[in-house]
Amino acid sequence: NAGVTQTPKFQVLKTGQSMTLQCAQDMNHEYMSWYRQDPGMGLRLIHYSVGAGITDQGEVPNGYNVSRSTTEDFPLRLLSAAPSQTSVYFCASSYGQGKEETQYFGPGTRLLVL
Amino acid sequence: KQEVTQIPAALSVPEGENLVLNCSFTDSAIYNLQWFRQDPGKGLTSLLLIQSSQREQTSGRLNASLDKSSGRSTLYIAASQPGDSATYLCAVSPGANNLFFGTGTRLTVIP
């Protein structure tokens, strides 16, 4: 198993540009989520999905869209990038929502918005 | 809103020393607590998960404890090695596997 994969690894955008961060998992996990990591603030939840066709907002959803058309993929879209979205983005997945469920993280995407 | 605090922010120890990392959280209504390791420029690797009904979990040289009523967890690392150098993150889940993270403790083990 490849686990959780993310592309691209690094991206530079200009303010106002749009892009999609890709996330895929091959573990047949129902639950997937996106976090951003900023210095001094820890990781914060952006959006999550409990299964194909179901998404919901996390702590910091503004400026981001998600969809979940398949179990395997959970892309994160930035419609109009802003410098405040400069961050490292991590995708995570787990089999379910139980108390014993460990989350698996991807390697991250570093995004710089100029 | 759940707040997670990790102290200290950074720690340097000589190889072979036993050490304790601390995590505190403000809301005791949690599903579970997880400890992660993050190497520079890398993703997170789950080390231990403690369910809300458990008091501790062990994996090799690692032992994590949970005192839900006081909002505290500790990660004990025995006989530290240079390969243990990394940032250690604590995260609590209020449900649905959404995690609230601390800012981490950066550990350096000196050979």
Side-chain angles (χ1 to χ4, degrees):
Chain A
N1 286 350
V4 180
T5 58
Q6 292 184 238
T7 57
K9 291 184 178 180
F10 181 72
Q11 183 72 46
V12 179
L13 290 179
K14 295 181 179 179
T15 297
Q17 288 185 317
S18 63
M19 79 161 295
T20 299
L21 281 65
Q22 302 291 345
C23 174
Q25 51 87 14
D26 61 358
M27 298 175 281
N28 200 31
H29 284 172
E30 289 294 322
Y31 183 87
M32 297 185 74
S33 55
W34 278 100
Y35 291 85
R36 59 178 289 174
Q37 185 175 35
D38 302 293
M41 299 192 70
L43 281 83
R44 292 177 292 168
L45 181 66
I46 304 172
H47 284 284
Y48 66 97
S49 169
V50 299
I54 305 170
T55 64
D56 206 345
Q57 297 181 349
E59 185 182 358
V60 288
N62 293 340
Y64 307 95
N65 281 348
V66 293
S67 60
R68 184 95 179 271
S69 56
T70 67
T71 299
E72 294 78 18
D73 300 296
F74 190 43
L76 179 71
R77 281 182 286 275
L78 284 70
L79 299 179
S80 179
S84 61
Q85 294 179 304
T86 294
S87 188
V88 182
Y89 291 85
F90 290 100
C91 179
S93 73
S94 65
Y95 185 71
Q97 302 173 54
K99 294 182 178 182
E100 72 279 8
E101 294 298 341
T102 296
Q103 293 213 39
Y104 297 85
F105 280 76
T109 293
R110 292 182 176 273
L111 177 66
L112 175 62
V113 183
L114 301 175
Chain B
K1 179 193 164 191
Q2 179 75 264
E3 300 284 347
V4 182
T5 303
Q6 291 187 247
I7 296 173
L11 180 64
S12 291
V13 300
E15 181 177 1
E17 191 163 298
N18 302 327
L19 61 101
V20 174
L21 306 180
N22 297 294
C23 172
S24 62
F25 48 96
T26 55
D27 188 345
S28 62
I30 62 170
Y31 241 29
N32 59 47
L33 182 145
Q34 296 183 55
W35 283 93
F36 293 88
R37 169 185 172 137
Q38 185 176 29
D39 293 288
K42 304 291 186 182
L44 281 68
T45 301
S46 180
L47 297 172
L48 290 165
L49 181 149
I50 311 176
Q51 297 180 40
S52 59
S53 59
Q54 298 176 325
R55 297 284 292 184
E56 65 177 341
Q57 282 284 349
T58 298
S59 176
R61 295 182 294 108
L62 305 180
N63 176 276
S65 68
L66 173 64
D67 184 342
K68 201 173 74 162
S69 61
S70 67
R72 296 181 185 276
S73 176
T74 61
L75 179 66
Y76 174 83
I77 302 177
S80 59
Q81 303 171 357
D84 294 331
S85 297
T87 296
Y88 290 81
L89 298 168
C90 166
V92 296
S93 173
N97 278 354
N98 300 336
L99 297 174
F100 286 89
F101 281 85
T103 53
T105 294
R106 187 170 65 250
L107 173 66
T108 302
V109 181
I110 304 166

